[in-house]
Amino acid sequence: MSLKLRKLIVPAAMALALASHAHAADDAVHMGAVLSLTGANATVGEDVRRAVALAVEKVNAQGGVMGKKFDVIVEDSGGNATTALNAARKLATVDKVPVVIGEYSSGITLPMAQYLVKEGVTHINIASTSVKVKDLGATSFNLIGLENLGNKFSAADAWALGYRNVALIAPNNAYGQGVAHGFREEFEKLGGKVATELLYTAGQSTYRRELQQASRSQPDAYIYTAYGQESAVLDREAFELGLRQKPWYAILLSMSLSDTPANIANGQLGMEVGSVNGANGKRYIDAFQAKYGQAPKTSYTGYAYDAVMLTAAAINKAKSTQPAAVQAALKDVGKNFDGVTGPIRFDADRQRIDPPYAKLKYDGKVVPR
């Protein structure tokens, strides 16, 4: 062998050996998550990321998945549909994960999940409430109550609180439009009236004009839903304009108040997808508090935790990371899974049966009422 050829072969062999060693060191089972770690929902996204990390820690403490270390590859959507889609594409084609959870906003989740379903990758919805989630396809699973159920619950709750003539404020996107239409329909069935319906444009530095417009109808309550940072602006300006003299009721209270200071948020009522339930839920809250020094800020952390635990259980049952095998196992595990958000059972369309809801108020923090 010539010296020149030897110089070419030896480094190549060393590189191959190093690559094989690196792959062996990374011999773990992965799933993916697309979360809003920056942008208007960053507070919620970080809260959910913590829950994901806690679930991974729990799975690995119990022996991992298929005898290997378990991990979740987390990608940031930035609160942007294109970024989320690119993140999902990377998870599906580069990382080749069998399951992806997320995102948060329905306008981001839907196109991202449609791509994953097209690729045959499992998608688990942990936060988006658009009824269109039901139509995503055969590899999409849903853990959370959708707008049709949420709107019925919030309308009945608002009516029971004595509200009859309300102003409705929501973002002008797939989620907000669904809430506005669905709440109005359910509230009017009960005999209520939506005097003003205001769909706001996201990302504005002020919403004073919109708030003043909503106040002209002299509602006896304001029903609203908004993403964390935008909600903080709405809440502050409503407070400054004196509109908080009337009741404010938030649909998805923890989301709407995640970035609002306590002195402004105090006294608000609202509803939420149920956060935790039973002894399993209490253990989760205790573990979260112990690890991070505070309780979860939003209700969505429990759904993310459950999604990770469900996925780990399904891969263990399937003894495979092949998407089709994991999907079949998810259906089986999902016949009766004891989640921190309560019992999880999927119907034939992979939708959660009897998803939980809660009546809440803000008293220094979000608490039951």
Side-chain angles (χ1 to χ4, degrees):
M1 183 184 296
S2 71
L3 180 61
K4 183 177 181 181
L5 185 59
R6 188 187 301 275
K7 287 181 178 178
L8 288 172
I9 292 174
V10 172
M14 289 178 65
L16 183 60
L18 287 170
S20 298
H21 177 75
H23 184 269
D26 190 39
D27 188 21
V29 176
H30 299 283
M31 65 176 285
V34 180
L35 307 176
S36 186
L37 300 177
T38 56
N41 289 318
T43 298
V44 176
E46 173 57 22
D47 212 33
V48 171
R49 186 202 62 76
R50 290 179 170 189
V52 167
L54 195 63
V56 169
E57 189 177 282
K58 176 78 168 179
V59 171
N60 286 323
Q62 294 175 338
V65 173
M66 295 194 301
K68 300 178 181 179
K69 180 183 175 183
F70 181 61
D71 189 34
V72 178
I73 301 171
V74 178
E75 300 288 341
D76 180 17
S77 72
N80 178 277
T82 301
T83 305
L85 186 58
N86 288 336
R89 187 174 289 114
K90 181 246 182 194
L91 289 168
T93 62
V94 177
D95 301 309
K96 299 187 182 302
V97 298
V99 176
V100 176
I101 66 173
E103 204 252 2
Y104 180 69
S105 167
S106 298
I108 298 174
T109 296
L110 292 171
M112 182 191 81
Q114 285 164 355
Y115 164 78
L116 291 168
V117 169
K118 181 182 175 184
E119 295 297 312
V121 177
T122 306
H123 169 254
I124 302 180
N125 178 47
I126 59 170
S128 297
T129 58
S130 170
V131 291
K132 294 178 181 178
V133 165
K134 291 197 293 187
D135 302 323
L136 283 170
T139 69
S140 183
F141 292 73
N142 174 47
L143 290 181
I144 205 163
L146 302 180
E147 285 164 7
N148 56 328
L149 300 176
N151 288 329
K152 187 172 184 177
F153 184 93
S154 57
D157 190 26
W159 178 265
L161 288 167
Y163 309 153
R164 297 294 182 264
N165 183 62
V166 303
L168 180 61
I169 302 170
N172 191 13
N173 59 16
Y175 162 67
Q177 292 162 13
V179 168
H181 173 77
F183 180 88
R184 176 190 286 273
E185 186 174 67
E186 296 294 340
F187 195 58
E188 289 179 347
K189 284 180 187 176
L190 297 170
K193 178 183 178 182
V194 177
T196 300
E197 180 180 303
L198 195 152
L199 297 178
Y200 70 82
T201 301
Q204 296 177 201
S205 60
T206 179
Y207 296 98
R208 285 180 178 270
R209 181 178 61 81
E210 289 87 342
L211 290 167
Q212 288 168 335
Q213 178 184 335
S215 70
R216 292 191 190 109
S217 61
Q218 294 295 308
D220 53 35
Y222 293 85
I223 310 295
Y224 84 111
T225 189
Y227 302 119
Q229 293 178 13
E230 292 161 7
S231 181
V233 178
L234 279 163
D235 284 323
R236 175 176 54 79
E237 292 185 335
F239 186 83
E240 292 169 350
L241 289 167
L243 304 187
R244 287 292 305 281
Q245 294 174 16
K246 299 286 182 68
W248 277 65
Y249 180 100
I251 297 173
L252 304 184
L253 185 71
S254 70
M255 173 187 81
S256 299
L257 295 181
S258 63
D259 291 276
T260 299
N263 66 310
I264 295 177
N266 274 333
Q268 284 200 34
L269 304 180
M271 57 76 70
E272 185 69 83
V273 291
S275 178
V276 295
N277 188 275
N280 206 16
K282 184 180 185 307
R283 284 191 292 269
Y284 163 70
I285 293 294
D286 290 345
F288 195 103
Q289 180 91 40
K291 185 173 180 63
Y292 301 114
Q294 61 183 150
K297 294 181 179 179
T298 68
S299 296
Y300 304 98
T301 66
Y303 294 89
Y305 186 93
D306 280 347
V308 174
M309 299 302 290
L310 265 171
T311 299
I315 295 174
N316 266 330
K317 186 173 186 64
K319 296 182 174 58
S320 170
T321 57
Q322 291 299 312
V326 175
Q327 289 150 19
L330 268 172
K331 291 176 183 177
D332 197 33
V333 173
K335 289 177 180 176
N336 190 16
F337 185 84
D338 186 17
V340 302
T341 59
I344 295 173
R345 297 183 300 276
F346 293 122
D347 64 17
D349 296 318
R350 305 158 313 283
Q351 303 298 304
R352 184 171 181 171
I353 298 169
D354 295 327
Y357 286 95
K359 298 177 181 180
L360 305 168
K361 63 180 178 180
Y362 195 94
D363 184 10
K365 60 182 179 179
V366 176
V367 295
R369 58 177 158 92

